[in-house]
Amino acid sequence: MSIYSYLLRIKEVKGAGFFLLIDPDKREFKHLKRIVPQIEKGGADAIFVGGSTYSGENLDGYIKEIKRNTTIPIILFPASHLQISKHADAILFMSLLSGRNPLYLVDEPSRIAPLIKKHGCESISCGYILIDGGCSTSVANISNTLPIPRNRINFAKYHALTAQYFGMKLVYLEAGSGAKLTVPDRMINAVKSYIDLPVIVGGGIKDASVAREKIKAGADFIVVGNAFEGKKCIEEMVRKFAESIHRK
Ligand code: 1GP
């Protein structure tokens, strides 16, 4: 089964999916052995790997170490072509549709595309849409793009529909890692009812009840990273998120 089919299956069986994001800049290699099994035992559906400032150093080794410690899929969430590894199960192949910087709309994707072909990895194309998270975020700074204002619901809807008509497989509504404010429920709801694609929501989600709110608003998948950073024992917290997200 492809990873994309697996994700759709998760949605069908559990109601929604939970992805835990590991940023190699913030989680040391030596801690993976302890942390990764907790992610699976806690009930996350996949592990995302990536980070805005990560140089890609030893990415192959990092992915292999995660793989040694889990059976759930590892999906790359690359900020650049330096964050591609053939050892991942799939790659979120993104274009930053909300931005007007050609570097992240098409230049980085065009550097990643030949690597995907070379490695024969599964690519899951995704319209990446940045929403104002109420503070300055790394993704906005590094991409040098403006997020969509929180009240511009139609703007978000039209960008998401663009992803659909471009033939992309997912839409990611992103407030940015560590965002002060999460993607507004009203916006999630409006986007989800306007398009036919699965919607991922992430950025600033720090507890299970907020994740639940996003699911109720229409999110199909939730990504959480920051809330787990720097913690040694995460299994119970992962479980709380998973139970709250999977509740039909
Ligand atoms: C960032 O959406 C993800 O790209 C996760 O955000 O780190 O704030 O959970 P957090």
Side-chain angles (χ1 to χ4, degrees):
M1 195 194 306
S2 70
I3 298 298
Y4 185 63
S5 305
Y6 163 82
L7 300 182
L8 297 183
R9 184 89 186 117
I10 292 286
K11 161 78 187 159
E12 198 184 309
V13 174
K14 302 186 178 176
F18 171 34
F19 310 143
L20 196 145
L21 171 66
I22 301 181
D23 179 344
D25 263 348
K26 297 183 182 152
R27 183 66 77 180
E28 282 182 64
F29 180 96
K30 65 179 183 199
H31 294 146
L32 293 174
K33 202 177 172 145
R34 190 184 55 226
I35 286 297
V36 171
Q38 298 182 46
I39 298 173
E40 179 163 356
K41 279 193 209 143
D45 300 300
I47 296 175
F48 272 27
V49 179
S52 308
T53 54
Y54 174 48
S55 68
E57 193 190 344
N58 190 29
L59 179 61
D60 284 342
Y62 199 88
I63 299 287
K64 282 203 262 179
E65 179 69 357
I66 297 178
K67 221 169 191 169
R68 268 194 286 275
N69 288 286
T70 188
T71 60
I72 60 173
I74 303 164
I75 302 175
L76 291 176
F77 175 55
S80 84
H81 64 285
L82 300 173
Q83 296 181 21
I84 302 299
S85 165
K86 64 179 175 195
H87 301 289
D89 297 299
I91 294 173
L92 212 59
F93 183 56
M94 297 178 287
S95 173
L96 180 51
L97 296 181
S98 56
R100 297 297 178 266
N101 182 351
L103 188 62
Y104 291 93
L105 260 172
V106 71
D107 196 8
E108 272 303 325
S110 76
R111 291 177 199 197
I112 292 173
L115 298 175
I116 293 176
K117 187 173 168 72
K118 181 171 146 197
H119 298 321
C121 310
E122 179 179 340
S123 138
I124 304 174
S125 61
C126 175
Y128 191 54
I129 300 176
L130 184 59
I131 312 298
D132 181 9
C135 62
S136 139
T137 58
S138 300
V139 55
N141 290 332
I142 286 166
S143 67
N144 196 18
T145 65
L146 290 174
I148 293 180
R150 302 177 66 77
N151 59 354
R152 298 291 298 275
I153 304 283
N154 280 343
F155 211 50
K157 280 165 59 181
Y158 303 158
H159 281 73
L161 191 63
T162 301
Q164 179 176 323
Y165 289 164
F166 269 149
M168 292 172 165
K169 291 179 172 166
L170 293 171
V171 160
Y172 193 141
L173 297 178
E174 168 74 278
S177 191
K180 197 163 127 200
L181 304 171
T182 56
V183 178
D185 295 354
R186 204 162 69 89
M187 186 180 271
I188 297 170
N189 192 266
V191 167
K192 184 61 193 174
S193 15
Y194 194 61
I195 63 167
D196 300 320
L197 294 179
V199 174
I200 305 179
V201 173
I205 300 175
K206 293 185 191 72
D207 61 63
S209 61
V210 175
R212 185 72 210 152
E213 250 178 49
K214 304 299 152 196
I215 298 296
K216 280 207 223 149
D220 299 293
F221 302 103
I222 299 291
V223 181
V224 182
N226 212 266
F228 293 98
E229 280 162 16
K231 296 190 169 67
K232 288 180 182 164
C233 297
I234 61 168
E235 187 176 330
E236 222 17 72
M237 192 176 161
V238 175
R239 185 164 295 117
K240 275 201 183 118
F241 271 99
E243 283 172 355
S244 174
I245 289 167
H246 293 149
R247 190 154 28 103
K248 272 204 171 183

